[in-house]
Amino acid sequence: MTLDSAVFRFAGVVVMASLALAHWVHPAWLWLTAFAGLNMFQASFTGFCPAAAVFKRLGVRPGSSFR
C-alpha cells in the first residue's frame, strides 16, 4: 500500500463511519464529515495532510496518485 492509497482509504473510512454514526447514533457526527472534507480541501491547497504525515512516520512507502 502506498501513502496515497492509505490516505484515500482513511478519508473514505472516516466519512463513511461518520455518516453511519450520524444516521444511527446522533446527527452531530456530521461534524466529523465536515472536518474530513475541510481537511481534504485545505490539503489540496497547502499540500499538508496530517494523516499523510502520520502514515509516513509509520513507514508507509510513498506513491503517486492516479497514475
Side-chain angles (χ1 to χ4, degrees), residues 23-63:
H23 180 72
W24 284 299
V25 178
H26 193 276
W29 280 102
L30 290 174
W31 286 106
L32 182 58
T33 305
F35 174 76
L38 286 172
N39 189 37
M40 288 185 278
F41 184 70
Q42 73 80 25
S44 71
F45 288 104
T46 65
F48 173 72
C49 177
V54 170
F55 284 127
K56 194 174 191 178
R57 284 191 150 198
L58 291 173
V60 178
R61 63 184 169 89

Side-chain angles (χ1 to χ4, degrees), residues 1 4 7 10-12 14-18 24 29 33 37 39 42-44 48 51-52 54 59 62 64:
M1 178 184 327
D4 302 332
V7 169
F10 179 71
V14 168
V15 168
M16 296 305 292
S18 67
W24 284 299
W29 280 102
T33 305
N39 189 37
Q42 73 80 25
S44 71
F48 173 72
V54 170
S64 59

